Amino acid sequence: MTEVSMCINSVSELSPDEERIMIKDIALAAQANSKEGDTFFLITQRWWQHWIEYVNQDQTNTSYDGSSLLEHSDLANSNALKRPAGIDNSDLIDDAVSEESGTGMEINDTLLEGRDYVLLPQEVWNQLFRWYGGGPTLARKVISSGLSQTELAVEVYPLRLQLLMLPKNDHFPVRISKKETIGQLHRKACEIFDLQPDQVCIWDYYSRRKHALMNDMDKTLDDANLQMDQDILVEVINHTNNTSVAQENGSAQREANSVLVEPSKSSLSIAGGLSASRGASRGYNMDLSSSQNLNSPVRDVENPYGTSGVTTRGSFGGLTGLLNLGNTCYMNSAIQCLVHTPEFAKYFREDYHQEINWQNPLGMVGELALAFGELLRKLWAPGRTPIAPRPFKAKLVRFAPQFSGHNQHDSQELLAFLLDGLHEDLNRVKHKPYIKSRDADGRPDEEVADEYWANHIARNDSIIVDVCQGQYKSTLVCPVCNKVSVTFDPFMYLSLPLQSTTSRTMTVTVFACDGATLPSTFTVTVPKQGRCRDLIQALSNACSLKHDERLLLAEIRNHLIHRYLEDPLLLLSTIKDDDHLAAYKIPKIDKNTKYLQLIHRRREQSSDSHVISGWKPYGTPIVSLISCDDTVTRGDIQVIVNRMLSPLLRKGSNVEQATTSETSIPKATSDQCNYTSSDDACAANMVSNSVNKDSTNSKAPPMPTLPLLLVDDNNACIDLSMGEEKVVKLYPLLPKILVYIDWSQKLLEKYDTHPLETLPEVLKYGPVTKKARTEPLSLYTCLEAFLREEPLVPEDMWYCPKCKERRQASKKLDLWRLPEVLVIHLKRFSYSRSMKHKLETFVNFPIHDFDLTNYIANKNNSQRQRYELYALTNHYGSMGSGHYTAHIKLLDENRWYNFDDSHISLISEDEVNTAAAYVLFYRRVKTVDDAVSNGA
């Protein structure tokens, strides 16, 4: 273990409040005089948080400089906290690396400022050290950073380099600031290997390849583009024949195949590098509150640098990675695609500030645009190691709190928010006019489309509109009066469905409630845009339904009937893949009858095996028809239920011995029936086959008396297993007759209820089949499915101006005007009430010559509509634990790269198209006709 200094110079005799005030004053003074070369000290967040809580415990609402010291404190009213022990930074130290590296004390590579440590000015550290002692001392220097080198930052992770001398393969690790010069590195190498300066030359030996002779002794290591953990070749010059030892051992070199070379080190994202910068517009805030989000004294960080993963080599920009801040791969992939959109790269690297709309109430007062522009400039700066986009994320979550924390999110949802937010921040329209859109009313489409577009531009005019927005034609037709409504709406991206087929499979369990058979499960194929009548017809054929029977469909949730699906025109799209459906065979005659619904219950055993809780629903309800006259008796209901359950009787069961004494239950009360919240909850029930009361007679074989409870109109229960045989009132106001059966352990010995316990989902997702992986789906097919006419879902019905009512109109979309950059979202994720599912479908999308000319409804536009892919995001794995990357083509190089957070690698064009593709970015291909048209 690392030794911790326990030297305590003096113990503070100040009160906690006096300590706090003194440290605050010292910090403010240090901030006013901070400069390059100053020293800051790391202190563990755990100790710092303890001290903050200690000095704030007596302050409830005291403010200094307008900052509440206990704004977030949870301990303001707690018992007095003990004074912290000595400073203990040992949890910041990587003991194993420190012992092996030879560079002295090494901190863990994965530390994050604000989570693991805080940076303190030297004066603050000195005072705390005098009071508390401890250690170890971890000092770091302030350096200049940023494009203009005018911003100050603390270099938490200086460069760690491996000095390598061949052919002996002697190597020695060194820590050195990136602001040190090549001359200082050269002198250090001479000292380590005991060589004369004129005997040594050093090479940038990145990935064991000679990149450049480092002979400009005044150049900084940052300007030389040296990376963390890379090799530096120390070459000993042989003055006799003017060769070097390294040259004589050329076999040690390994050739690289591109400008960008991957290191052998893992691409694990490492925090640190530069942090705690001070920008011109950012202030120094020593907020000594006990907030959980406590920041270090010098805060508002400039993008800290990461230290591992591949970084750029050569002169091309745009190959800078983004550190993963904790499940932020969704953000990193989307940002990289936007940053590498040529129109945006040019716009944000120029002076765009004059276009910021500071007053737009729909925008973010310019802050999102400024944060994105600053991040884009840093990503395009040459020779930069990976950047941690913390300032951008902070602005993002301020305006979109749904992206806060460290949960995984949908990169397309983030992209949609960014495009919309950037548009509003950069909207050139300062005062949006009110414009009422007119219906087409038979006017030519071209006239109406131009009018809609002009109205849109009058309110929305930004670089985002210029680049990304197109227009589609939307046609609605009323199914009753045939009223046609045509509008032309803008779009930012196209969300294309991946299902290429026009049918779907649905799984339903069919119950024969006359006791004829056990439940059977059927999987049938129906039209994807079909209706409930199509499903019933398919099931009727599959289960050989008799001519005097009909099927009643119901949706089951939590072992209860959620709703009947009795409307034959109900769209099947309202039934989700993870729903559970049951169908009941019942007679076509239902005159003067009600549905008798049988709900199964059993006792739930608590964690204490000796304690048995109340009766809870389980299994699948069964439904039968029952006569609604006033002569129904308890025996009639017993006969109906016995017949419904007869297929479940175990072989050899002596049902005659299933007496009331064996299965009787205590007198029921209304409390035993209160699992349904209201009569409305009871109203959604299921139907089964009929048993008429006339079928019960004295000649019927003896049947067991089952523990049944009838629910009355007050939601109380009537025991049907005890007492004299008499007429049962069926409560004509209730939509159905609800009966519980309570399955005791004794009763379960005579009946096997397993066929009732499992109800499959409508579509059970399993592993992706080999067929699904090998059969590609064309992007053109996805587009055609998107443009296909289909009825609106019931939740989104259209108000017909002619009928004056909401109608389930049919809707048809057509592309009318395409943008310069076409963003296409492949709808891989499906959401429902209880699950999220990802489609692993392989989409065969074109990289070159994506021709949309024939899909444009505007026939007056004779120009070819051809696009070329330049970027895309990928999603690998499942929805909950997946990972996002980006494939991006650098147009200047005409080469593709994989951006995996901070790790960047060269890929071939053949590797671009995979089943992980999620959001595609296409750029319009300029033709000769376009150039002539623009020139005219």
Side-chain angles (χ1 to χ4, degrees):
M1 289 292 295
T2 304
E3 295 185 2
V4 178
S5 171
M6 298 306 297
C7 173
I8 303 179
N9 296 329
S10 63
V11 177
S12 171
E13 297 180 355
L14 302 177
S15 69
D17 192 51
E18 289 172 330
E19 283 192 21
R20 176 181 51 79
I21 295 174
M22 179 178 290
I23 290 296
K24 185 173 182 68
D25 291 341
I26 294 173
L28 290 173
Q31 179 269 337
N33 300 309
S34 60
K35 60 186 181 300
E36 185 175 5
D38 285 352
T39 303
F40 275 65
F41 292 79
L42 278 74
I43 190 168
T44 177
Q45 172 72 27
R46 174 179 49 79
W47 190 94
W48 176 253
Q49 184 68 28
H50 186 179
W51 182 81
I52 288 294
E53 293 168 354
Y54 166 68
V55 298
N56 278 284
Q57 60 184 319
D58 296 327
Q59 303 295 316
T60 55
N61 290 299
T62 307
S63 294
Y64 291 86
D65 299 330
S67 174
S68 173
L69 295 176
L70 280 178
E71 181 179 356
H72 304 287
S73 176
D74 295 328
L75 300 174
N77 298 318
S78 64
N79 295 330
L81 293 172
K82 293 183 179 180
R83 187 173 187 271
I87 299 170
D88 183 6
N89 282 337
S90 59
D91 55 352
L92 302 181
I93 306 302
D94 190 329
D95 296 305
V97 175
S98 298
E99 292 174 3
E100 297 174 0
S101 67
T103 59
M105 198 174 299
E106 289 283 342
I107 64 175
N108 287 298
D109 277 346
T110 57
L111 299 180
L112 289 176
E113 185 183 2
R115 185 194 71 182
D116 302 307
Y117 68 87
V118 175
L119 288 167
L120 302 178
Q122 182 170 359
E123 297 83 354
V124 174
W125 167 265
N126 289 343
Q127 187 59 59
L128 289 174
F129 188 78
R130 278 194 290 270
W131 289 339
Y132 294 93
T137 301
L138 302 173
R140 295 294 187 267
K141 291 292 185 181
V142 175
I143 63 174
S144 60
S145 65
L147 293 176
S148 60
Q149 296 293 303
T150 58
E151 299 177 356
L152 299 183
V154 178
E155 189 178 29
V156 176
Y157 289 97
L159 281 175
R160 181 171 55 211
L161 304 174
Q162 293 287 337
L163 301 182
L164 178 65
M165 188 171 70
L166 299 177
K168 296 181 180 180
N169 204 31
D170 292 339
H171 62 90
F172 194 93
V174 295
R175 278 282 191 184
I176 186 170
S177 170
K178 62 178 63 182
K179 290 302 177 182
E180 299 288 352
T181 63
I182 291 176
Q184 290 167 311
L185 178 62
H186 184 272
R187 285 193 293 272
K188 189 178 287 288
C190 293
E191 293 170 2
I192 290 172
F193 294 111
D194 194 20
L195 298 170
Q196 295 299 317
D198 61 349
Q199 292 182 301
V200 173
C201 62
I202 56 178
W203 288 83
D204 178 348
Y205 203 49
Y206 186 83
S207 197
R208 299 297 181 92
R209 177 191 177 193
K210 282 186 176 181
H211 284 280
L213 177 65
M214 301 173 64
N215 55 3
D216 185 348
M217 297 302 173
D218 296 327
K219 192 174 186 178
T220 67
L221 303 183
D222 190 22
D223 292 337
N225 196 21
L226 296 188
Q227 311 302 327
M228 186 69 71
D229 290 319
Q230 78 160 76
D231 292 328
I232 299 296
L233 177 62
V234 179
E235 193 172 59
V236 180
I237 301 174
N238 186 339
H239 290 286
T240 303
N241 56 13
N242 202 29
T243 62
S244 68
V245 174
Q247 287 173 330
E248 295 169 357
N249 193 57
S251 61
Q253 299 184 21
R254 187 158 54 93
E255 288 299 320
N257 63 352
S258 68
V259 171
L260 183 69
V261 185
E262 297 187 49
S264 58
K265 184 175 171 63
S266 165
S267 62
L268 173 69
S269 297
I270 298 177
L274 301 180
S275 62
S277 73
R278 182 188 61 166
S281 63
R282 297 187 282 261
Y284 189 111
N285 178 22
M286 186 64 174
D287 182 5
L288 300 183
S289 73
S290 56
S291 165
Q292 184 179 2
N293 298 319
L294 179 76
N295 294 331
S296 63
V298 181
R299 199 53 182 150
D300 284 335
V301 265
E302 131 118 19
N303 293 328
Y305 286 80
T307 55
S308 75
V310 180
T311 53
T312 63
R313 312 300 298 172
S315 59
F316 293 113
L319 287 173
T320 301
L322 289 167
L323 287 177
N324 193 315
L325 307 180
N327 274 335
T328 55
C329 56
Y330 72 95
M331 181 181 75
N332 293 348
S333 61
I335 287 175
Q336 291 286 14
C337 289
L338 289 181
V339 163
H340 288 84
T341 298
E343 291 81 358
F344 294 156
K346 180 176 184 296
Y347 178 85
F348 283 99
R349 283 189 286 178
E350 295 176 350
D351 185 12
Y352 64 92
H353 295 76
Q354 61 184 357
E355 292 201 337
I356 292 179
N357 192 331
W358 307 99
Q359 311 300 328
N360 188 354
L362 300 178
M364 289 77 177
V365 292
E367 293 189 30
L368 186 65
L370 288 171
F372 179 79
E374 181 180 0
L375 180 58
L376 181 145
R377 293 186 180 201
K378 293 178 184 299
L379 289 172
W380 275 101
R384 297 293 294 270
T385 52
I387 293 171
R390 289 189 183 90
F392 177 81
K393 177 101 185 303
K395 295 294 184 185
L396 174 68
V397 300
R398 176 182 174 187
F399 298 106
Q402 66 268 30
F403 298 114
S404 60
H406 299 287
N407 293 329
Q408 183 67 276
H409 294 281
D410 188 335
S411 69
Q412 187 273 333
E413 292 179 1
L414 173 78
L415 180 68
F417 173 81
L418 280 182
L419 289 173
D420 187 63
L422 290 173
H423 158 66
E424 296 295 353
D425 266 4
L426 299 169
N427 196 347
R428 304 175 185 112
V429 179
K430 302 303 187 283
H431 303 285
K432 295 186 177 183
Y434 172 75
I435 303 174
K436 186 176 181 179
S437 299
R438 295 190 301 154
D439 200 1
D441 289 331
R443 292 183 292 158
D445 283 349
E446 293 76 14
E447 177 186 336
V448 180
D450 289 344
E451 178 184 289
Y452 270 80
W453 188 252
N455 293 345
H456 176 65
I457 296 300
R459 295 172 53 84
N460 302 276
D461 184 16
S462 70
I463 181 64
I464 306 299
V465 175
D466 297 343
V467 175
C468 292
Q469 286 199 356
Q471 186 183 35
Y472 58 73
K473 175 185 176 182
S474 175
T475 305
L476 293 172
V477 180
C478 178
V480 177
C481 69
N482 293 322
K483 163 68 177 176
V484 178
S485 174
V486 177
T487 58
F488 291 83
D489 303 310
F491 67 84
M492 193 88 75
Y493 52 86
L494 300 178
S495 290
L496 305 188
L498 296 192
Q499 295 88 346
S500 61
T501 62
T502 59
S503 62
R504 66 183 289 198
T505 59
M506 302 184 73
T507 299
V508 182
T509 300
V510 178
F511 293 80
C513 297
D514 59 357
T517 60
L518 285 169
S520 300
T521 299
F522 298 92
T523 299
V524 295
T525 300
V526 294
K528 184 175 295 182
Q529 301 301 328
R531 300 182 183 270
C532 201
R533 62 190 178 194
D534 299 312
L535 176 58
I536 292 175
Q537 182 62 51
L539 284 172
S540 300
N541 296 335
C543 71
S544 302
L545 193 71
K546 298 177 182 178
H547 71 279
D548 58 347
E549 294 177 325
R550 68 182 178 92
L551 286 178
L552 180 70
L553 282 174
E555 179 185 345
I556 310 299
R557 290 192 194 176
N558 300 320
H559 312 293
L560 303 174
I561 295 174
H562 175 67
R563 62 168 175 163
Y564 289 120
L565 306 177
E566 294 186 285
D567 181 1
L569 298 181
L570 179 72
L571 284 173
L572 294 180
S573 58
T574 63
I575 303 174
K576 307 304 180 185
D577 287 342
D578 61 339
D579 286 343
H580 299 265
L581 296 185
Y584 298 90
K585 294 181 179 181
I586 59 175
K588 288 183 178 180
I589 54 166
D590 48 16
K591 184 177 180 181
N592 199 29
T593 59
K594 284 182 178 286
Y595 297 140
L596 185 151
Q597 178 184 338
L598 183 66
I599 301 292
H600 309 279
R601 301 197 305 183
R602 64 183 173 187
R603 288 192 183 275
E604 283 194 349
Q605 199 157 1
S606 67
S607 56
D608 184 350
S609 60
H610 299 290
V611 178
I612 298 179
S613 60
W615 296 97
K616 301 293 182 182
Y618 88 107
T620 306
I622 311 178
V623 181
S624 179
L625 289 182
I626 187 170
S627 173
C628 292
D629 61 38
D630 292 330
T631 60
V632 176
T633 65
R634 292 181 178 180
D636 294 331
I637 297 178
Q638 286 279 349
V639 170
I640 293 173
V641 174
N642 266 280
R643 186 170 300 184
M644 294 164 69
L645 298 178
S646 59
L648 304 179
L649 277 169
R650 297 182 185 274
K651 290 184 178 180
S653 172
N654 187 356
V655 296
E656 288 81 9
Q657 295 179 4
T659 63
T660 302
S661 61
E662 290 177 327
T663 59
S664 62
I665 58 174
K667 186 65 177 176
T669 66
S670 61
D671 290 339
Q672 290 178 288
C673 303
N674 63 1
Y675 76 92
T676 53
S677 59
S678 66
D679 286 344
D680 289 337
C682 293
N685 290 302
M686 183 174 286
V687 180
S688 177
N689 216 337
S690 74
V691 175
N692 214 316
K693 83 174 188 68
D694 295 334
S695 66
T696 64
N697 52 63
S698 58
K699 295 182 180 180
M703 291 187 177
T705 301
L706 298 170
L708 305 179
L709 300 172
L710 174 69
V711 181
D712 66 14
D713 55 353
N714 293 318
N715 207 28
C717 292
I718 301 173
D719 188 359
L720 299 180
S721 62
M722 300 175 62
E724 61 185 30
E725 181 69 17
K726 64 179 182 180
V727 173
V728 176
K729 183 179 180 181
L730 294 183
Y731 307 102
L733 295 181
L734 292 181
K736 82 319 183 178
I737 306 303
L738 184 62
V739 176
Y740 302 155
I741 178 169
D742 292 338
W743 291 94
S744 65
Q745 192 60 40
K746 195 84 171 178
L747 192 60
L748 287 173
E749 293 176 1
K750 304 179 183 301
Y751 289 88
D752 181 5
T753 61
H754 286 95
L756 303 178
E757 294 177 5
T758 302
L759 193 65
E761 296 175 347
V762 169
L763 176 61
K764 180 65 177 178
Y765 289 107
V768 180
T769 63
K770 182 178 180 181
K771 180 179 179 181
R773 284 193 293 263
T774 57
E775 289 188 359
L777 177 64
S778 167
L779 184 61
Y780 291 106
T781 304
C782 297
L783 179 61
E784 290 163 4
F786 173 74
L787 300 176
R788 186 180 298 126
E789 182 178 357
E790 61 182 19
L792 296 174
V793 296
E795 296 82 10
D796 192 27
M797 294 208 296
W798 171 64
Y799 181 80
C800 176
K802 187 175 179 180
C803 295
K804 307 297 183 184
E805 290 186 27
R806 302 191 72 82
R807 300 296 190 191
Q808 194 171 5
S810 62
K811 183 176 182 178
K812 174 73 170 71
L813 293 178
D814 292 289
L815 299 179
W816 188 267
R817 188 189 313 263
L818 293 179
E820 291 299 308
V821 169
L822 179 62
V823 181
I824 295 179
H825 165 224
L826 302 178
K827 297 175 68 173
R828 292 199 177 277
F829 302 137
S830 61
Y831 302 87
S832 59
R833 287 176 294 271
S834 62
M835 65 169 289
K836 300 177 181 179
H837 175 69
K838 179 188 175 186
L839 295 172
E840 301 283 356
T841 309
F842 180 87
V843 179
N844 188 8
F845 54 86
I847 296 177
H848 306 284
D849 199 22
F850 181 36
D851 194 345
L852 297 177
T853 305
N854 294 332
Y855 293 91
I856 301 300
N858 183 5
K859 300 309 177 184
N860 288 347
N861 188 346
S862 58
Q863 295 180 350
R864 291 283 301 278
Q865 304 291 324
R866 294 172 54 243
Y867 285 83
E868 181 171 325
L869 187 76
Y870 71 91
L872 69 151
T873 64
N874 304 294
H875 182 270
Y876 300 92
S878 63
M879 293 193 65
S881 59
H883 180 62
Y884 288 95
T885 67
H887 289 163
I888 295 173
K889 182 179 183 179
L890 261 63
L891 301 181
D892 291 339
E893 297 185 33
N894 195 31
R895 291 197 286 189
W896 284 92
Y897 292 89
N898 178 49
F899 285 70
D900 186 354
D901 290 329
S902 60
H903 188 79
I904 304 173
S905 57
L906 182 68
I907 60 175
S908 68
E909 190 172 283
D910 293 338
E911 299 175 81
V912 171
N913 195 336
T914 71
Y918 184 41
V919 181
L920 311 176
F921 290 75
Y922 281 94
R923 190 167 182 242
R924 187 193 299 275
V925 176
K926 302 294 184 181
T927 64
V928 176
D929 292 339
D930 294 332
V932 172
S933 176
N934 293 335

